[in-house]
């Protein structure tokens, strides 16, 4: 355990020699039994412990009248607020929040989603290990392991998680979700694993605002890291020292 | 650790496959829908018949925790390639007993909850 951020599955990735020879052993097994090519082949892109994905949201470009990111997220992941008998049970993948500084009267509108903390309280409290942080910093719920206890929802200072109370039908193929489990922004892992960026980022750009920047916070040369150094953005409830991965400029 | 695990998994799969192949020789009748699917399965049929649940679970953990997404191995890839057309010409959902994932499960009294979250009809073929 040299690096706390590296999960067991990513351990020893640099240790190519022993890994290769063992893969060789696996390949030998393949010739013994056809069909075992299954897991010996090169894996597609994987969560990379050398990266930390994050967002920088420029609230000066965000408008309270616009909810393109919210709509796009709902369409991508198949959730909706419409026709809900209990609005307090609404999905919280992302929501728009208008804030006002009482001292100056200055207002701002910001999208709030899972802040992908480096020290996520939701992970600390989860009794089953369903709440976890991927090697690349994305905080997720493994809904196969989630028992729906909702401790994580109580632990999250950002109210970024919600519980699915009712049976779900018509899920999007790339985003399974269902009753009895907790869900939240997953930073569009499927898109990110395919080399893309979260759908809200594209939607915001599509709405002509380009207020959301996605990138690798651990790469000092990435556009997001450079902008963060330049504009010194804030993080919500930074006093909690959760080291969130979502930055807000202009609040 | 990972190395050792990889080796163990490889050996385990090999052993499972060998027993699978042996056991699925003569006398194991393929299901009625056998071989109507386009393309190749992720492993040979006798192996799949016995081990698909383990593969799916393994893949599930690899994908959800490791972000490893090989083509054809997602649950949606299974239901996409194994899609069965209904009377209206559209692929049936698991609500229909002709759905691939119900063909054997119904007779062997297996019930899976996968499709309360995962769509049971073709989607991302990618």
């Amino acid at each position: 355990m040299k690096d706390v951020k590296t999960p067991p599955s990513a351990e020893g990735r640099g240790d190519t020699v022993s890994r290769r020879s063992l893969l060789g052993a696996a390949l030998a097994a393949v010739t013994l039994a056809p069909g075992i090519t299954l897991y010996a082949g090169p894996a597609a892109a994987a969560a990379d412990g050398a990266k930390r994905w994050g967002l920088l949201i420029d609230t000066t470009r965000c408008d309270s009248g616009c909810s393109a990111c919210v709509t796009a997220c709902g369409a991508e992941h198949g959730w909706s607020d419409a026709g809900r008998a209990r609005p307090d049970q609404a999905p919280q993948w992302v929501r728009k929040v208008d804030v006002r500084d009482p001292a100056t009267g200055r207002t701002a509108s910001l999208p709030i989603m899972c802040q992908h903390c480096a020290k996520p309280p939701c992970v600390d409290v989860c009794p089953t290990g369903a709440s976890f942080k991927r090697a690349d910093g994305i905080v997720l719920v493994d809904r196969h392991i989630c028992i729906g206890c909702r401790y994580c929802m109580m632990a999250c200072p950002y109210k970024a998680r919600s519980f699915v109370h009712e049976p779900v039908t018509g899920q999007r193929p790339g985003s399974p979700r269902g009753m009895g489990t907790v869900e939240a922004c997953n930073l569009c892992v499927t898109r990110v694993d395919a080399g893309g960026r979260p759908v809200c980022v594209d939607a915001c750009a599509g709405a002509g605002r380009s207020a959301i920047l996605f990138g690798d916070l651990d790469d000092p040369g990435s556009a997001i890291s450079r902008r963060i150094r330049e504009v010194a953005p804030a993080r919500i409830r930074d006093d909690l020292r959760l080291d969130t991965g979502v930055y807000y400029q202009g609040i | 650790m990972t190395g050792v695990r990889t080796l163990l998994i490889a050996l385990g799969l090999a052993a499972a496959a060998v027993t699978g192949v042996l056991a699925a020789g003569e006398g194991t009748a393929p299901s009625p829908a056998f071989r109507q699917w386009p393309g190749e399965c992720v492993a040979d049929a006798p192996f799949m018949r016995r081990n698909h649940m383990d593969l799916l679970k393994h893949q599930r953990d690899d994908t959800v925790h490791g972000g490893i997404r090989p083509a054809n191995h997602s649950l949606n890839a299974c239901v996409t390639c194994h899609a069965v057309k209904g009377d209206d010409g559209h692929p049936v959902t698991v609500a229909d007993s002709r759905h691939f994932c119900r063909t054997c499960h119904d007779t062997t009294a297996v019930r899976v909850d996968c499709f309360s979250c995962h769509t049971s009809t073709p989607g991302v073929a990618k």
Side-chain angles (χ1 to χ4, degrees), chain A residues 20-97:
Chain A
R20 285 247 173 79
S21 47
L22 283 160
L23 274 178
L27 284 166
V30 173
T31 47
L32 275 179
I36 308 304
T37 35
L38 214 46
Y39 297 103
D48 180 354
K51 287 187 163 64
R52 180 173 179 212
W53 297 120
L55 297 172
L56 170 58
I57 296 162
D58 184 350
T59 62
T60 63
R61 289 162 163 266
C62 186
D63 182 280
S64 72
C66 177
S67 55
C69 55
V70 181
T71 313
C73 180
E76 173 79 10
H77 298 288
W79 60 266
S80 146
D81 278 343
R84 191 164 291 275
R86 298 273 310 264
D88 53 332
Q89 295 178 350
Q92 300 292 336
W93 288 68
V94 55
R95 65 187 190 276
K96 285 296 298 289
V97 174

Side-chain angles (χ1 to χ4, degrees), chain A residues 5-28:
Chain A
K5 270 173 65 190
T6 314
S9 60
E11 230 174 68
R13 199 184 288 124
D15 191 5
T16 38
V17 178
S18 66
R19 176 112 180 150
R20 285 247 173 79
S21 47
L22 283 160
L23 274 178
L27 284 166

Side-chain angles (χ1 to χ4, degrees), chain A residues 8 11 19 22 25-26 29 33-36 38-39 43-47 132 134 140 142 144-145 168 171 173 176-178 189-190 193, chain B residues 2-4 6-7 10 13-14 17 42-44 47 55 58-60 64-70 73 76 116-119 123-124:
Chain A
E11 230 174 68
R19 176 112 180 150
L22 283 160
I36 308 304
L38 214 46
Y39 297 103
F132 71 102
R134 241 169 61 138
L140 294 173
D142 182 341
H144 306 101
I145 308 177
V168 184
Q171 289 92 333
R177 54 188 291 267
V189 266
T190 324
D193 285 339
Chain B
T2 316
V4 175
T6 314
L7 179 62
L13 281 175
V42 293
D44 61 293
F47 180 82
L55 296 189
H58 184 89
Q59 187 57 45
R60 179 195 94 181
V64 178
H65 294 262
I68 299 165
R69 299 173 186 273
H73 290 70
N76 199 249
S116 65
C117 291
H118 291 262
T119 178
V124 276

Side-chain angles (χ1 to χ4, degrees), chain A residues 19 26 29 53 66-67 73 88 112 127 169 172 175 189 216 221 231 236 243 246:
Chain A
R19 176 112 180 150
W53 297 120
C66 177
S67 55
C73 180
D88 53 332
I112 308 245
T169 52
R172 299 290 322 281
S175 196
V189 266
D216 181 5
V231 303
I236 305 175
D243 187 2
V246 182

